[in-house]
Amino acid sequence: IGEFSKLTNISVRMLHHYDEIGLFKPSIVKENQYRYYSHHQYDTFTIITILKSIGMSLNDIKIYLETRTPQLLIDLLNDQEKVLDQKMKELKRAKDFIKTIRSRFKSMIFIFNTLMKNIFFVVMIFTTKTTKVLKLIMMNMSVFIIIIWIQWTK
């Protein structure tokens, strides 16, 4: 089992699992429970690896290996293509959502930074040239703008 594991680049544990579920059994199992694989099994294992790599379930792979008809393979590949198409749609929706959120946050950050700079300059100007009443109005306006920004980002 160790040599076959190295040859196929799959763990011994996974080979045991495949044996347990009846997907890929060793050609010989000795009394001491040592498992031996034949070089003739390499092709079968390659099929398993390819079908697994496109996302096919181990159960579907097992069904195919038990019958190995061209039509069954075509049917399984068609089903898997539908699954992959659906996953691609879901991933595209997720990617589009990320783009939308990123764009909104960039806009909010720009607006917030612009408002804060303008408020700072207005407050600086009013602190040197206005009465306490005008200063209070400007400070209240700043707080109001910050509250609006916080509510908008929720």
Side-chain angles (χ1 to χ4, degrees), residues 80-95:
Q80 190 58 31
E81 184 177 30
K82 289 175 188 171
V83 169
L84 292 174
D85 286 342
Q86 183 60 36
K87 285 181 181 179
M88 288 169 58
K89 286 178 186 175
E90 291 169 8
L91 289 172
K92 183 174 181 341
R93 275 194 296 264
K95 187 176 179 181

Side-chain angles (χ1 to χ4, degrees), residues 6 25 28 30 40 52 59 68 70 94 125 148:
K6 289 176 188 172
K25 296 200 166 280
I28 300 170
K30 296 275 184 158
H40 299 290
K52 187 176 174 200
N59 189 51
R68 290 191 193 216
I125 291 169
I148 289 173

Side-chain angles (χ1 to χ4, degrees), residues 23 51 55-67 72-73 75-77 79-80 83:
L23 176 64
L51 296 177
M56 195 172 291
S57 73
L58 295 179
N59 189 51
D60 285 345
I61 295 170
K62 182 180 176 186
I63 290 168
Y64 168 69
L65 291 175
E66 290 170 352
T67 57
L72 178 59
L73 180 59
D75 293 344
L76 289 172
L77 291 174
D79 291 345
Q80 190 58 31
V83 169

